[in-house]
Amino acid sequence: MPAIPAPVQRLLPDSFTLALLITVAIATILPCTGAVAVGFGQFTAFAIGALFFLHGAKLPREAIVAGLTHWRLHLLVLSCTFVMFPLLGLMIKPLALAVMAPELYVGILFLCMLPSTVQSSIGFTAMGKGNVAAAVCSASASSLLGIFFTPLLVGTLVVKGSVAGRSAADTVLPIVYQLLLPFVAGQLLRPAIGKWIDGHKSMLKFVDQGSILLVVYTAFSDAVTGGLWHKVPLSSLVALVMVSCLLLAVALAATAWLSRRFGFSREDEVTIVFCGSKKSLASGVPMAKVLFASGSLGMVILPLMLFHQIQLMVCAVLAQKFAREG
């Protein structure tokens, strides 16, 4: 059997995306209900705490300190992540509501408020011959600040008029208890367990991905029981893909233009494009579990799951283009 060409391989879904699709299929066919759903929910809450504990333990303090030395780049990336993207989400509201259900638009607005990815931003920056050290600092800072900024943005722009029906304080406090405190605990314990964490990253990857799959299964189980696939016809999925592509295209173009406008080098431009245009599935799914009512959770994370795969495919091609130019 002939080998699949490398450019085509990068356009195919990765193993984790396939696992997500299988999880959604299982939740559609065999959703958990009743006491089983309660048990899954409690275990999922514990898994989310463990996930952010490990995030704290994995983040080197040197990355935080080093990030201060290239503050112009990091300020631009953070502005794109937490200012430009939310504004884009608000601007496309008339278009989105014309082609999809309001709950799906809430999901789009939510993904616009999430931090950048860490692993893929750094990986694509390295592939595109960009400033990898700056990517490590910028992506790590985005992930850390997202614990504060995302719930504040959601509480201000989404929850106030959304299906969750919570106040801003009700939005932030669960984040503090379930995400921030475990993260801080992991960071404080890094001197004691950091070497072990760094030496077992491949094993801990299963904790990261397993936590996300648990949230996806419980969320979609609840959503399927509530009639998710009757509320989201094929036309809405197609519209969701098109809106996601539009968001990503505008973000990529804007980050590239801004990096040139402010006189950054080509290596820094690669870093700004990849760190400033990406959205984190690893942070977004657990945050959605804490921030939104369970009945709407499936509709909220569906746009993020689609955007995640689109950004990986597009950025893989873009990274090769940057590498050839470099």
Side-chain angles (χ1 to χ4, degrees):
M1 183 175 178
I4 300 175
V8 176
Q9 286 182 337
R10 291 191 175 93
L11 291 176
L12 296 176
D14 58 16
S15 58
F16 181 56
T17 300
L18 292 176
L20 282 171
L21 295 175
I22 293 171
T23 302
V24 171
I26 294 174
T28 301
I29 300 170
L30 296 172
C32 62
T33 57
V36 176
V38 173
F40 262 102
Q42 293 173 343
F43 184 70
T44 301
F46 171 79
I48 290 172
L51 172 65
F52 275 80
F53 174 82
L54 291 174
H55 280 181
K58 287 189 294 185
L59 180 62
R61 294 181 190 176
E62 294 81 2
I64 300 174
V65 175
L68 299 176
T69 63
H70 208 345
W71 63 269
R72 288 179 65 248
L73 182 147
H74 305 315
L75 182 60
L76 180 55
V77 169
L78 292 173
S79 297
C80 291
T81 301
F82 296 114
V83 179
M84 181 190 75
F85 253 109
L87 289 176
L88 287 176
L90 292 173
M91 289 171 61
I92 65 168
K93 181 177 181 179
L95 171 64
L97 292 180
V99 295
M100 65 184 65
E103 292 87 351
L104 287 178
Y105 170 68
V106 170
I108 290 173
L109 195 54
F110 171 65
L111 82 84
C112 288
M113 299 171 181
L114 289 172
S116 178
T117 60
V118 178
Q119 290 93 341
S120 60
S121 291
I122 296 169
F124 285 131
T125 298
M127 187 187 303
K129 299 181 180 179
N131 188 336
V132 176
V136 171
C137 301
S138 192
S140 300
S142 178
S143 180
L144 174 61
L145 294 174
I147 298 177
F148 302 96
F149 289 165
T150 297
L152 289 175
L153 287 168
V154 170
T156 303
L157 301 177
V158 181
V159 172
K160 186 167 57 176
S162 77
V163 290
R166 304 181 192 178
S167 67
D170 292 335
T171 302
V172 174
L173 288 177
I175 286 284
V176 172
Y177 297 140
Q178 197 168 349
L179 306 184
L180 179 59
L181 290 181
F183 183 92
V184 172
Q187 183 64 203
L188 291 176
L189 288 174
R190 177 168 173 78
I193 63 175
K195 289 185 178 179
W196 186 89
I197 293 287
D198 293 338
H200 295 79
K201 285 184 178 179
S202 58
M203 182 184 72
L204 296 176
K205 178 180 177 181
F206 291 102
V207 177
D208 287 1
Q209 297 184 351
S211 301
I212 297 171
L213 294 176
L214 271 174
V215 175
V216 170
Y217 176 69
T218 54
F220 272 85
S221 292
D222 188 66
V224 167
T225 304
L228 170 66
W229 299 122
H230 296 290
K231 300 177 183 177
V232 185
L234 180 60
S235 59
S236 291
L237 286 176
V238 173
L240 191 56
V241 171
M242 294 178 66
V243 170
S244 297
C245 290
L246 175 62
L247 270 176
L248 182 60
V250 173
L252 289 171
T255 50
W257 182 83
L258 287 170
S259 62
R260 295 169 190 172
R261 175 67 178 79
F262 289 107
F264 287 97
S265 66
R266 193 207 70 88
E267 290 77 13
D268 286 346
E269 178 185 340
V270 174
T271 302
I272 292 166
V273 167
F274 288 128
C275 293
S277 65
K278 309 287 282 303
K279 291 296 177 178
S280 174
L281 182 74
S283 297
V285 173
M287 284 186 179
K289 173 70 175 177
V290 177
L291 292 171
F292 292 93
S294 59
S296 64
L297 190 55
M299 298 275 276
V300 169
I301 66 175
L302 182 58
L304 176 58
M305 292 172 59
L306 288 174
F307 188 85
H308 169 77
Q309 181 58 35
I310 292 169
Q311 72 181 7
L312 289 181
M313 294 190 297
V314 172
C315 289
V317 175
L318 188 60
Q320 294 179 70
K321 177 178 179 295
F322 275 128
R324 288 193 298 268
E325 292 175 350

